[in-house]
Amino acid sequence: MIRYSVPGIFSTMREVKVKGVSSLCTLDSNGESHILQSELASDSQRNSSLNVQFTPEIEKKYVHHVYDAIAPHFSSTRFAKWPKVANFLSSLPSESLVLDAGCGNGKYLGFNPDCFYIGCDISAPLIKICADRGHEVLVADAVDLPYRTGFGDAAISIAVLHHLSTEGRRKKAIEELIRVVKKGGLVLITVWAVEQEDKSLLAKWTPLTQKYGEEWIGPGSPRVRSPSSCTLESIPETEENGFGECKKDSGQSSMQSLQEITSQSESYSGTSTDVKNANNQQEYFVPWHLPYHRAEVSGASACALANGLAKKDDKKGAVVYNRYYHVFSEGELERLVAGIDNAVIVDRFFDKSNWCIVLEKKL
């Protein structure tokens, strides 16, 4: 088995483009109409595929930017291996190529020394941590994996899909995991569950309601993200309001009403948002407390505070970031897979407040 390397992973990021038809042939009226109808159908299919690849604003602000800011601190807390994931990796045949989609700090990369691993994550700072540890990694989006079809022997997606904010994107991510493994290849997926074993955690989470209504969908590339217009600044432990030029008029809030969110989501994806009522809540902001001294090390942005994307908790001495989560209900993963023809579920289980499934690619 050849060990794969990925040169120049931080130098460029590929932009996804749609190749359109440069011209249409002029035939008779029936022929021209037929060609145009064919092209419109093709365009519709391409647009449908691209819609789920557009990164929603809520993911950019409350997933991508957050993990970029907290990467070193987050990594320092991620070292224990889940027994179920460890067992899955240990069961793979020798010399298997394992693709870890959403690898974070790479704690599972190299776990089974008899296998080869390639990891990817949307967060460049987390990928740099992996690369510094000698892992084969690259920056990539879970809904558009940069591997050829049938590339790997197995794939894992550990605690990733719950950060995707629409059902279409969650299903697309599953389809990508299946696509990139060979026939007979296995895919392990784990997601946070609604049915949390520690009920006290729910009290610390913020239900996503109208008060926290954020623009759900917006134009953007799954690979190219616009740099922040504000300069990253350190956050001293004693500073109260020193935001400098990053201070933003409180009237220029990015928050929108839930009605606007629903309208935008339907126009981009053709489906309503996944926001549930209070009796069936699945959308949350889950806090991450970044200690002031770690905020200085990681260069956390004072602009995030000024723009309301983070807040200061002086009692705990931390900058608090909200992370977006869609927690899964029982059977939800299975329903997403039900419409995928080339894979079957070979195992499903509940472990440590996570719903988990193992898929096998059939075609």
Side-chain angles (χ1 to χ4, degrees), residues 91-316:
S91 70
L92 298 174
S94 179
E95 298 190 340
S96 292
L97 174 60
V98 183
L99 306 175
D100 187 346
C103 62
N105 69 340
K107 71 176 184 178
Y108 291 112
L109 298 177
F111 175 79
N112 180 348
D114 294 327
C115 296
F116 302 102
Y117 298 81
I118 299 178
C120 68
D121 201 282
I122 196 65
S123 172
L126 283 173
I127 285 298
K128 185 177 185 306
I129 290 172
C130 295
D132 289 344
R133 294 174 176 176
H135 297 305
E136 304 285 356
V137 289
L138 68 161
V139 175
D141 194 284
V143 301
D144 191 15
L145 296 177
Y147 311 121
R148 68 176 182 267
T149 298
F151 182 57
D153 298 294
I156 61 174
S157 172
I158 310 303
V160 175
L161 265 62
H162 50 231
H163 287 310
L164 303 180
S165 58
T166 69
E167 182 176 310
R169 284 172 60 77
R170 294 188 284 271
K171 184 171 183 178
K172 177 63 175 176
I174 295 175
E175 292 173 341
E176 280 291 274
L177 290 165
I178 297 168
R179 180 187 66 80
V180 299
V181 299
K182 299 173 183 176
K183 180 180 179 180
L186 298 177
V187 175
L188 169 64
I189 301 171
T190 77
V191 293
W192 281 21
V194 170
E195 301 84 357
Q196 289 291 304
E197 294 168 309
D198 183 356
K199 301 300 183 183
S200 66
L201 285 176
L202 294 175
K204 301 176 182 179
W205 299 355
T206 303
L208 189 58
T209 62
Q210 185 169 346
K211 178 180 178 182
Y212 296 96
E214 172 62 40
E215 179 184 3
W216 206 263
I217 298 287
S221 165
R223 295 186 183 225
V224 182
R225 289 185 278 152
S226 301
S228 172
S229 60
C230 298
T231 304
L232 295 178
E233 297 182 13
S234 297
I235 303 173
E237 295 184 48
T238 57
E239 182 178 353
E240 290 293 331
N241 297 305
F243 298 145
E245 295 183 357
C246 288
K247 187 71 176 178
K248 185 176 181 179
D249 184 354
S250 59
Q252 297 177 339
S253 172
S254 65
M255 298 301 179
Q256 299 181 343
S257 70
L258 197 58
Q259 289 79 5
E260 292 176 11
I261 294 172
T262 304
S263 175
Q264 288 176 351
S265 179
E266 289 174 345
S267 66
Y268 279 98
S269 65
T271 60
S272 63
T273 65
D274 293 308
V275 177
K276 306 295 182 180
N277 60 40
N279 295 324
N280 191 23
Q281 183 70 38
Q282 289 186 263
E283 315 298 319
Y284 289 95
F285 283 148
V286 178
W288 184 273
H289 292 78
L290 183 67
Y292 284 154
H293 69 281
R294 297 304 296 264
E296 292 179 332
V297 171
S298 66
S301 176
C303 295
L305 293 166
N307 292 331
L309 301 181
K311 62 182 180 180
K312 294 176 70 175
D313 186 336
D314 289 322
K315 291 183 178 179
K316 294 184 177 179

